[in-house]
Amino acid sequence: RQYHGHQDVITLENAYHGHVTSLIDISPYKFNQLGKDSKKEFVHVAPSPDIYRGKYREDHPDPASAYAEDVKKIIEETQKNGRKIAAFIAESMQSCGGQVIPPVGYFQKVAEYVRAVGGVFIADEVQVGFGRVGKHFWAFQLQGKDFVPDIVTMGKPIGNGHPMSCVVTTREIAESFGASGLEYFNTFGGNPVSCAIGLAVLEVIEKEDLQGNATRVGNYLLELLAEQKEKHPLVGDIRGVGLFIGVDLVKDQQSRTPATAEALHLIYKLKEHQILLSADGPHRNILKFKPPMCFTMEDAKHVVEIIDALLTEMEEATGMKTENNASTDAQCKMKVCSEFFKTLI
């Protein structure tokens, strides 16, 4: 806001960026829980670039451009109303929003539109940074080497449990903040203990090749989960990169109706096996895999074996067939399955 004096922020559907008031204001995942009048006037919500559940799906010829055009329309409408865009903010891959991986090229086009009107592009790497995606250290790099955000925010992983956060930006943007005359002060900012912890975490990531581990184990986990999609009608979509994976549970693979009750039942049953997963996304039907970076092949195999057994148990409890994903009988019985698990929860 200091950079060009603009006020408005564009965020994504189902986005979550933090729990202080200023961040709840730009987090639909949170402020929608407060009621229909909770969205502030300076906040504009763009469609989540979800090619499985969104308005432009995997069969669209260019979903990246289509979703970016929606952001452009928001900018144009905002300007017509005499308002100015300060920033566009997005997690490099949406986590609470349902493990959504933006189509390649989306960020580049959005950044072009936002920068053209004096705004900045903020990449939130709090959940997906520090090598979690495997092939890159930062998830925004999945968009291509020609894309660089104006601001990157990061947190949790930088301290591996120790409370730390960090903001990286350009000198020009940083100096515009200082030039405003508003001095930034933080009692614990840059303290030597936290800095030592942050450096130790980076050292372990490098020495133990945790980024490479994320690629190897993540690919193996994706393979195992893909087998479950072929085996179980409940599994609608498998998506992810490295150790950031989502399993979209559905009542019907054709209609993609969210299997919310089934997902919640599954995560509760997994706890009985000492496996902690969460069900996230706007419908709470996405199994969210974001394990520690030291997660192993054996861990991955164990988790999927338990999930396989529980899915089989759930299907058998309702008489569902698992031999044929396309079975009309199985899809019909899925409706019975949903009602059954709602009663359990």
Side-chain angles (χ1 to χ4, degrees):
R1 285 174 167 165
Q2 292 294 333
Y3 186 45
H4 281 308
H6 300 175
Q7 292 296 310
D8 290 27
V9 177
I10 301 175
T11 185
L12 293 177
E13 289 175 326
N14 313 312
Y16 175 61
H17 295 291
H19 60 223
V20 297
T21 301
S22 57
L23 293 177
I24 289 177
D25 284 347
I26 58 172
S27 298
Y29 180 83
K30 284 293 185 183
F31 70 64
N32 282 337
Q33 299 174 28
L34 302 176
K36 64 179 182 179
D37 299 322
S38 58
K39 186 174 78 65
K40 300 293 193 298
E41 187 180 13
F42 64 82
V43 177
H44 311 279
V45 182
S48 172
D50 183 349
I51 63 171
Y52 182 71
R53 291 196 170 279
K55 59 190 294 189
Y56 311 115
R57 299 189 173 184
E58 70 273 10
D59 56 352
H60 191 283
D62 188 1
S65 296
Y67 279 115
E69 281 297 313
D70 282 340
V71 176
K72 184 179 181 182
K73 290 174 185 175
I74 288 174
I75 294 172
E76 292 170 347
E77 187 65 27
T78 301
Q79 290 182 310
K80 286 179 184 177
N81 295 328
R83 306 187 68 91
K84 296 179 179 180
I85 300 298
F88 171 91
I89 184 169
E91 291 176 276
S92 299
M93 297 191 296
Q94 278 193 294
S95 49
C96 294
Q99 306 296 87
V100 176
I101 304 173
V104 174
Y106 172 68
F107 281 177
Q108 288 93 327
K109 293 179 183 297
V110 168
E112 178 185 339
Y113 298 146
V114 171
R115 289 165 178 162
V117 295
V120 299
F121 190 107
I122 305 172
D124 180 342
E125 292 272 339
V126 171
Q127 293 201 43
V128 295
F130 291 91
R132 175 162 293 280
V133 299
K135 61 179 72 175
H136 298 293
F137 203 76
W138 306 110
F140 70 75
Q141 292 175 287
L142 293 168
Q143 290 282 311
K145 61 183 179 181
D146 61 327
F147 174 69
V148 179
D150 300 298
I151 298 174
V152 178
T153 62
M154 57 195 81
K156 289 175 277 197
I158 194 173
N160 193 37
H162 178 76
M164 290 182 68
S165 61
C166 180
V167 176
V168 175
T169 188
T170 65
R171 179 177 294 276
E172 183 182 8
I173 293 173
E175 289 180 346
S176 72
F177 182 74
S180 69
L182 181 64
E183 181 185 7
Y184 176 74
F185 179 81
N186 186 311
T187 302
F188 300 108
N191 76 81
V193 173
S194 293
C195 289
I197 291 170
L199 288 170
V201 170
L202 291 173
E203 185 176 327
V204 169
I205 290 173
E206 183 177 11
K207 284 190 173 182
E208 298 186 10
D209 189 26
L210 295 185
Q211 188 175 339
N213 186 68
T215 294
R216 292 185 294 273
V217 178
N219 288 343
Y220 180 58
L221 182 54
L222 283 168
E223 290 174 9
L224 295 177
L225 290 170
E227 293 172 2
Q228 301 308 303
K229 181 180 178 181
E230 295 300 316
K231 187 175 180 181
H232 298 286
L234 270 170
V235 181
D237 188 43
I238 308 293
R239 54 182 176 267
V241 183
L243 289 176
F244 184 85
I245 297 170
V247 177
D248 196 312
L249 296 186
V250 297
K251 298 177 183 178
D252 183 292
Q253 290 184 342
Q254 299 304 313
S255 66
R256 304 182 181 184
T257 306
T260 302
E262 293 82 351
L264 292 175
H265 178 73
L266 185 60
I267 63 170
Y268 287 133
K269 295 297 290 184
L270 285 168
K271 287 180 182 178
E272 296 176 6
H273 296 270
Q274 292 76 51
I275 296 171
L276 299 180
L277 282 182
S278 58
D280 232 319
H283 306 289
R284 295 294 193 275
N285 70 306
I286 315 294
L287 300 182
K288 182 177 180 178
F289 289 78
K290 200 184 67 171
M293 294 281 281
C294 56
F295 205 63
T296 66
M297 299 279 199
E298 292 74 19
D299 294 329
K301 183 178 180 182
H302 173 67
V303 169
V304 177
E305 283 177 348
I306 300 297
I307 289 175
D308 181 18
L310 290 173
L311 288 174
T312 300
E313 180 182 291
M314 291 163 68
E315 291 162 348
E316 289 177 349
T318 55
M320 284 182 58
K321 294 180 180 179
T322 60
E323 294 87 355
N324 184 354
N325 249 13
S327 168
T328 303
D329 191 27
Q331 301 298 350
C332 290
K333 287 177 179 175
M334 185 72 77
K335 296 176 183 178
V336 179
C337 174
S338 178
E339 295 305 316
F340 174 74
F341 290 113
K342 282 180 183 176
T343 62
L344 290 180
I345 293 169

